[in-house]
């Protein structure tokens, strides 16, 4: 079962697999067992999923530690059926079919048919010292700080952030016209390298028990280790390939995409309503990307329509976690390019329609960028726990408690409205952080326009209108 078992959000699937890896991970990442079978009963609307590693043990063929068939690999989705067939891979989302295959690719198609959204989003609660609590969804491409935001430990006294989900959100319009979100998963499947007590304390606490580690290194004491986990590297390890490793080796000890899998309930900041049947009310949606220039620390969309335009223009500089040349700009609308189960132009239309349905109750949309750099190529913003300062401003904007400044793109904060107390940031740095690079935006729009052309006549006219309006505003700044 994806989603709380007693929830109207809940959707069911049945996976047949020859992989023990898939079975034990599904026990953590989904709801399984007799209660789910009872809930399915005689209903026919479950998703049938078939998975095989593609390595049959026949004719005396020896078993191997990681069975797969890389030369004959197929991960196939059939939204109209719906069904999923995965062959030849034993890893991650290719084997745990309830995750990306069901909860995003198939579910996004289901959502369009039924009037809801399946998104590559985290869900968090944010509570102010005065006790005001609001929930936010946030969609970022790979390697853009998504997990760290989902498990944020605020640096500002009295502020609290709780985690509803770290990866996928199903979003619906409730009876009151507001948007509600639920985390369809029951666990966290996170990238291990770079995770430490400094970068993500809550994740480290969550994986201290009941956790499966995949393709990490082993210490001589039998514990796990990966790059970035500690300041100093151990003198001796067994690497992810089972070979002896020391700091003089040229290869990483843990695979760059090594993973941890743990129950969500292990998280010390898991939200009290993370399994609420009706979900949590969404006050704001954040998009983001990894941009050294052009995009400010935070900006607010002028309207739902412009917010959808911003989401459709999500772009991030490529990293080792994404295919392509490192540093090259990759357009990834809503962080959904790898996960949308139907035509992207129709997907944009569906987002616009969701806004029409909610009308004045629609959550505000924001765009954030933690990765702006200065002329010395150093990050301008400290990030991590300090991101609460941006959330504090966003919280204020959901109540129209502070004013905004205009720009060539969205609405920007007044520099005095972002809490900078205790940060060693001079006025010029803050000015750069809270500015839109007009020349760079002009170049970006050309690339976004080229992407739009690929979508043809199905692209919503509303987005081309927003493109024209942005160019008009930009002419006043270039």
């Amino acid at each position: 079962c994806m989603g709380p078992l007693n929830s109207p959000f809940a959707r069911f699937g049945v996976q047949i697999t020859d992989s023990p890896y898939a079975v034990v991970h599904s026990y953590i990442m989904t709801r399984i067992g007799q209660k789910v079978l009872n809930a399915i009963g005689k209903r026919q609307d479950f998703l049938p999923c078939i998975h095989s590693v593609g390595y049959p043990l026949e004719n005396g063929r020896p078993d191997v530690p990681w069975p797969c068939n890389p030369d004959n690999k197929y991960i196939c989705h059939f939204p109209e059926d719906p069904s999923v067939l995965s062959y030849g891979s034993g890893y991650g989302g290719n084997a745990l079919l309830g995750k990306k295959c069901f909860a995003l690719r198939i579910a996004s198609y289901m959502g369009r048919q039924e009037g809801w959204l399946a998104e590559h989003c985290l869900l968090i609660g944010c509570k102010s010292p005065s006790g005001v609590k609001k929930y936010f969804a946030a969609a970022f491409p790979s390697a853009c700080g998504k997990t760290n935001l989902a498990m944020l430990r605020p640096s500002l006294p009295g502020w609290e952030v709780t985690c509803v989900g770290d990866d996928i959100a199903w979003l619906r319009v409730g009876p009151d016209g507001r948007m509600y979100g639920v985390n369809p998963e029951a666990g966290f499947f996170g990238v291990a390298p770079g995770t430490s007590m400094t970068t993500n304390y809550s994740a480290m606490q969550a994986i201290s028990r009941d956790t499966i580690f995949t393709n990490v290194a082993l210490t001589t004491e039998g514990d796990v280790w990966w790059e970035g986990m500690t300041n100093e590297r151990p003198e001796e390890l067994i690497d992810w390939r089972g070979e002896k490793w020391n700091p003089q080796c040229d290869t990483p000890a843990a695979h760059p995409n090594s993973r941890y899998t743990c129950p969500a309930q292990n998280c010390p900041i898991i939200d009290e309503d993370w399994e609420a049947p009706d979900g949590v009310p969404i006050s704001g949606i954040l998009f983001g990307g990894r941009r050294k220039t052009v995009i400010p620390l935070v900006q607010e969309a002028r309207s739902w329509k412009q917010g959808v335009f911003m989401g459709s223009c999500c772009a991030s500089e490529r990293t080792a976690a994404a295919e392509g040349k490192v540093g090259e700009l990759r357009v990834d609308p809503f962080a959904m390019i790898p996960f949308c189960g139907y035509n992207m132009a129709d997907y944009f239309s569906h987002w616009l329609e969701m806004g029409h349905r909610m009308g004045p109750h629609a959550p505000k949309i924001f765009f954030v960028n933690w990765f702006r750099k200065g002329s010395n190529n150093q990050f301008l913003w400290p990030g991590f726990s300090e991101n609460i300062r941006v959330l504090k401003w966003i919280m204020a904007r959901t109540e129209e408690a502070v004013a905004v400044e205009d720009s060539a793109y969205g609405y920007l904060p007044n520099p005095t409205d972002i809490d900078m107390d205790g940060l060693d940031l001079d006025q010029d740095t803050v000015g750069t952080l809270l500015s839109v690079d007009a020349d760079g935006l002009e170049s970006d729009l050309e690339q976004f326009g080229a992407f739009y052309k690929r979508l043809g006549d199905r692209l919503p006219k509303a987005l081309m209108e927003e493109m024209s309006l942005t160019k008009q505003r930009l002419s006043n700044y270039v």
Side-chain angles (χ1 to χ4, degrees):
C1 178
M2 305 307 294
L5 189 58
N6 61 341
S7 170
F9 284 86
R11 291 293 181 272
F12 299 93
V14 175
Q15 177 173 342
I16 299 173
T17 179
D18 57 9
S19 168
Y21 168 95
V23 173
V24 295
H25 279 73
S26 294
Y27 183 83
I28 294 175
M29 293 303 299
T30 73
R31 287 99 174 156
I32 66 174
Q34 190 60 51
K35 288 183 179 180
V36 175
L37 289 173
N38 293 342
I40 293 175
K42 296 182 180 180
R43 61 192 296 169
Q44 301 297 312
D45 60 345
F46 64 85
L47 179 73
C49 303
I50 299 177
H51 167 251
S52 173
V53 296
Y55 194 91
L57 298 176
E58 57 186 4
N59 301 324
R61 189 182 196 184
D63 203 352
V64 293
W66 195 266
C68 59
N69 192 341
D71 297 325
N72 191 25
K73 182 169 63 176
Y74 300 90
I75 294 86
C76 307
H77 307 74
F78 305 93
E80 293 87 354
D81 289 348
S83 62
V84 177
L85 173 63
S86 176
Y87 181 88
S89 175
Y91 187 64
N94 296 341
L96 313 180
L97 303 186
K99 191 168 175 60
K100 306 296 190 186
C101 294
F102 186 177
L104 280 178
R105 298 188 185 105
I106 295 296
S108 63
Y109 180 85
M110 288 180 171
R112 188 197 177 205
Q113 303 301 111
E114 300 172 7
W116 50 280
L117 294 164
E119 296 299 317
H120 189 208
C121 280
L122 63 86
L123 289 172
I124 56 173
C126 189
K127 187 176 180 180
S128 72
S130 64
V132 176
K133 184 174 183 179
K134 294 179 182 289
Y135 290 93
F136 299 94
F140 304 146
S142 174
C144 290
K146 187 175 170 192
T147 302
N148 288 332
L149 183 62
M151 301 189 191
L152 182 70
R153 295 184 78 201
S155 62
L156 296 179
W159 285 82
E160 297 178 16
V161 170
T162 52
C163 179
V164 178
D166 74 328
D167 192 34
I168 300 173
W170 288 356
L171 307 172
R172 295 175 182 268
V173 180
D176 59 357
R178 302 170 67 193
M179 176 174 281
Y180 288 79
V182 72
N183 171 16
E185 299 186 291
F188 300 141
F189 184 67
V191 176
T195 305
S196 70
M197 295 295 283
T198 301
T199 61
N200 199 328
Y201 174 86
S202 295
M204 293 296 286
Q205 291 296 309
I207 62 178
S208 64
R209 66 187 191 280
D210 311 324
T211 299
I212 300 171
F213 297 95
T214 308
N215 290 342
V216 300
L218 288 176
T219 68
T220 54
E221 294 83 16
D223 203 351
V224 296
W225 189 87
W226 50 78
E227 278 70 18
M229 182 178 178
T230 57
N231 291 330
E232 295 184 3
R233 296 181 292 178
E235 289 299 316
E236 184 180 349
L237 294 167
I238 299 298
D239 72 10
W240 69 277
R241 296 167 297 183
E243 300 176 0
K244 289 185 177 181
W245 184 95
N246 61 57
Q248 285 70 50
C249 291
D250 295 330
T251 56
H255 190 284
N257 197 31
S258 54
R259 297 279 177 158
Y260 58 80
T261 311
C262 70
Q265 63 188 15
N266 279 14
C267 181
I269 62 165
I270 197 70
D271 191 86
E272 62 183 1
D273 288 329
W274 83 279
E275 289 191 293
D278 294 323
V280 295
I282 306 301
S283 295
I285 298 172
L286 284 61
F287 298 119
R290 179 180 286 266
R291 302 300 306 276
K292 291 186 292 187
T293 59
V294 184
I295 302 300
L297 176 64
V298 59
Q299 61 182 324
E300 178 188 330
R302 303 160 188 272
S303 63
W304 180 268
K305 188 173 75 166
Q306 192 196 26
V308 174
F309 173 72
M310 287 181 170
S312 76
C313 295
C314 275
S316 188
E317 283 135 17
R318 295 183 188 270
T319 70
E323 294 182 0
K325 183 180 178 181
V326 173
E328 183 181 48
L329 194 64
R330 175 179 181 262
V331 179
D332 188 3
F334 296 82
M336 280 287 285
I337 280 288
F339 308 119
C340 186
Y342 60 103
N343 183 280
M344 286 301 295
D346 295 343
Y347 170 80
F348 297 158
S349 295
H350 184 40
W351 263 85
L352 291 168
E353 175 57 30
M354 290 287 286
H356 291 317
R357 288 173 57 195
M358 290 181 287
H361 302 295
K364 285 180 175 289
I365 296 178
F366 302 86
F367 204 103
V368 299
N369 175 27
W370 319 126
F371 304 97
R372 193 79 177 252
K373 290 186 175 183
S375 57
N376 61 356
N377 204 36
Q378 298 297 308
F379 290 117
L380 299 178
W381 182 248
F384 298 106
S385 63
E386 304 298 352
N387 291 338
I388 186 61
R389 301 170 186 270
V390 175
L391 290 179
K392 179 180 178 181
W393 180 81
I394 288 173
M395 285 266 288
R397 282 300 303 158
T398 62
E399 298 174 346
E400 303 284 349
V402 292
V404 291
E405 296 184 358
D406 204 356
S407 81
Y409 206 8
Y411 290 137
L412 299 176
N414 184 309
T416 59
D417 289 330
I418 297 283
D419 187 344
M420 300 289 186
D421 288 349
L423 296 182
D424 186 20
L425 299 178
D426 58 39
Q427 189 172 354
D428 289 342
T429 298
V430 173
T432 301
L433 278 169
L434 300 181
S435 67
V436 175
D437 178 351
D439 292 331
L441 180 58
E442 187 174 35
S443 176
D444 281 3
L445 292 178
E446 292 181 10
Q447 185 166 342
F448 301 150
F451 175 78
Y452 275 4
K453 285 183 180 179
R454 291 170 54 192
L455 301 179
D457 295 338
R458 294 168 80 158
L459 181 75
K461 292 181 180 179
L463 296 190
M464 287 306 301
E465 292 171 359
E466 282 298 330
M467 174 76 80
S468 297
L469 288 171
T470 303
K471 289 180 177 179
Q472 289 174 22
R473 286 192 298 269
L474 192 58
S475 66
N476 298 324
Y477 289 86
V478 176

